[in-house]
Amino acid sequence: MNMLISRRRLVVRSLALLATTALAGPARAQAPAPAGEPPFLEPLIADGKLPPLAERLPKSPLVTNMIERGRTLGQYGGDMRTLVDRPRDLRYITVIGYSRLMGYDELLNLEPDILEKVDSDGDCIITFTLREGHRWSDGEPFTTEDFRFYWEDVAQVPELNPSGPPAFMIVEGEPPKVEILDATHIRYSWSKPNPRFLPSLAGPRPVWIYSPAHYLKRYHKKYADPAKLTKMAKDRQMTSWATNFNKLDDPYEASNPEQPTLDPWRIMTKAPAQQFIFERNPFFHRVDPQGRQLPYIDRIIANVASAGLFATKANAGEVDLLFRGITTGDIPMLKEGEASHNYRTLAWPIARGSAFALYPDLTCNDPVWRGLLRDVRVRRALSLGIDRHTLNNALWFRLGIEGNNTVLPSSALYSEDDHKAWASYDPGLANQLLDEVGLIKKDPTGIRFLPDGRIAELIVEVAGEASDIIDALQITSEFWQEIGIKMVIKPEDPSDLNQRAFAGRTILVAAKGLDNAIPTAVMSPTELAPLRQDNMAWPKWGQYAETAGASGEKVDMPQAQLLLDFYDQWMDATTLDEKTQAWRRMLSLHADQQFIIGTVQGALQPIIAAKSLQNIPKKAIFSWEPTALLGVYRVDEFYFEQNRAQISSTP
């Protein structure tokens, strides 16, 4: 059912009530009386270092609807082991903890999480209600002062944040008016609707529009002695108070154990280390239907290991939960170890637009390649020159869906025409298109010459850790040889690859496709428009958008400008149908223009789970966005059966 965005006040409790859809989110139960202290915390309570549960929870905690979702009530205890290949990857614990102001559930309904309630007046005036009595992990109150501090003293301080407030808070260059109404109410308002605001709060990478003011003020020049801040920065080998502040304010990568959090687990270990421990947050705001505080599991233990050893260590029974660093090709080996090491191997479909995609850089510095790649005939020829069926058989056990980089068939926005356009294997037509472009001359091996006399050697850059994509490139290089294009594969460090792309030095990048291949119409189609520099098809256009023209290049290609026009139509839409049409126009234009060349969808992600680990779905969608990897499945509700729950260290 379509629903107009009216100017009346709407209480946002689900995706439906954000703006344009009538799906109803599940009703939240009346908060039960707090029940049962986690044994892990009892020594701290007995010593007077922690208050009892009734004093640690908000007045109205979030009561999970576990039973309605087919989950079982769990029990406290246990250490959940996992692996990371470097300290920076602790950020994935932050992702799957999935504590957000707003969050998606498994059906992609958007509901308040940290927030108790959200009131939206046509996406122009949005008022947050915080949970009374909610506390940070150190026991200090979480109030609108934390939002004010972020907005006034972080987001708008150039020394700390040179790019200014995040893009999703800006509408046509206009930042929101921010009003602190009282300790638990804050209002954001714009003169035009901002439909991106609330969905952005539920993203896989958290966006903190609040900060622990009580902790960070001691490192801020507005609140602390400048001389002390200068000395502190020097002692920590930082160049200024601002760099020191930003180093300490790092909740995403969990690099600062002193920083309070609202997540279900808090980091206790400071790098460098070979083992990192996360302990339960004593003040976490969610409870189960019986009033027991979540999370059920006391600790997450992340051991550092080489990524190449993840599958071997999982096979040896050294993990209780592993969802990264293993691929479809590891499944046979992982299956072999299940019986003797008490784990099970789940296989979740990956909701990516393409497991392997090619990004022609339309803003690259090389003038010859820039001109060629901007000719749609070249992009179509490169797509037609790929035998997707062979790739599917060789790398994805024939389980993938061959076609373009687009949304999955399970999405209401899916189009069969978009999925198939220019995605068949037709080297004859590919050669014809390249001839039409003027790339007729060839060397003795059949490789074409570029207009400037160079051979048509396409350097394809790829993250060195993406072994599955490198395998796919090696096969694809043989296909492109048939159409006169020589591929040179260049694996490199992901950070170096990003820097090269942002500087316009890449010509073509190989990576995974659309992050969000199961979108709903009210989710922002930002990923489809030239608005982000991390889209390797147009990094300089993305820079221009992200910096409001301060760097990068303005879009100067009509088809790309059309994407921006369709995006503006989505931003201005007042009905679900209008938003849906904007999405479909963008998807169809992508398929026709082959801005990003897709290959195969539907690869499987192995998930290793201990047999004693309960409440993890047997089958679910795995994606970065919108599911936050495992986040929407609420890892805080996972628990161990009795024999494992008893294995836990005291704090």
Side-chain angles (χ1 to χ4, degrees), residues 328 348-352 355 395-396 399-401 468 600-605 622:
T328 307
W348 291 5
I350 301 174
R352 278 275 193 177
L395 301 175
W396 290 288
L399 299 173
I401 306 169
D468 54 337
V600 178
Q601 294 179 331
L604 297 176
Q605 175 62 47
F622 185 85

Side-chain angles (χ1 to χ4, degrees), residues 396-410:
W396 290 288
F397 303 97
R398 302 182 184 178
L399 299 173
I401 306 169
E402 298 153 20
N404 280 318
N405 175 48
T406 189
V407 299
L408 290 172
S410 57

